Amino acid sequence: MIRSDERPAEPFVAWAQQREAARLGMWLFLASEAMMFGSLIMVAWFFRLRHPNGVAEAVAGLHYLLATGNTVLLLTSSLLMTLAVSEPRRVRWCLLGAAVLGVLFLGCKGVEYGLEIHEGVLPGFNDHSTWQAPSAQLFMNLYFIATALHGLHVLIAVGLALWLYSALKRDRLTPHQGAMRLEMISLYWHLVDGIWVLLFPTLYLVGR
């Protein structure tokens, strides 16, 4: 239920106390997310060190130009989220702009998946392996898991941004509530973007 007054939620007695508790909970959550993706990145680098030829074969078939465009989209969306926090008068438009860029990211990733399905290299969509080295197929499995999981996080971030945009537009949040939710969503958005900044070179560039 959306509160209509300026009092913090129970059991907090002050907004500063509630915000610090929310920050602590969010940072713990973000740390768990970072460890999950960090494990995938470590496995990817292990594959590169142990099977450089197979990984190079797989990486050569990835559409790095589309991934580069997606990187630009996400970095721009992070800029808009930063502006949303620092520019209260433009917060709704910045939220909407970041959400649109997130949707464009997902659309571009869908195009990339479509090309990979057509080429018969995306795991789960081909009847037989197209790779000469078995390690190439294993790396593609890791690529699909990492990018699909990241795409899910982008979708969640877009949904949160659109929800906050709608709530602010309808004036359903007090200033304290809106500021706290904006800060939490911004932190999550920056994490999602930061993870992609690490995934992009790990999956697409190194070894090409």
Side-chain angles (χ1 to χ4, degrees), residues 121-198:
V121 299
L122 195 67
F125 295 91
N126 53 350
D127 297 329
H128 60 280
S129 176
T130 60
W131 310 107
Q132 295 181 358
S135 55
Q137 182 65 55
L138 292 176
F139 185 82
M140 285 300 297
N141 292 340
L142 178 63
Y143 155 82
F144 185 44
I145 292 171
T147 55
L149 188 60
H150 178 264
L152 176 62
H153 282 69
V154 173
L155 181 62
I156 294 172
V158 169
L160 291 173
L162 291 176
W163 170 82
L164 183 57
Y165 169 82
S166 176
L168 293 175
K169 184 177 181 180
R170 298 178 182 180
D171 198 25
R172 297 176 59 192
L173 299 173
T174 67
H176 281 104
Q177 290 172 330
M180 186 166 59
R181 284 158 176 76
L182 175 61
E183 181 181 357
M184 299 304 108
I185 293 174
S186 176
L187 287 173
Y188 181 77
W189 195 287
H190 291 317
L191 172 76
V192 172
D193 290 358
I195 288 171
W196 179 256
V197 169
L198 296 177

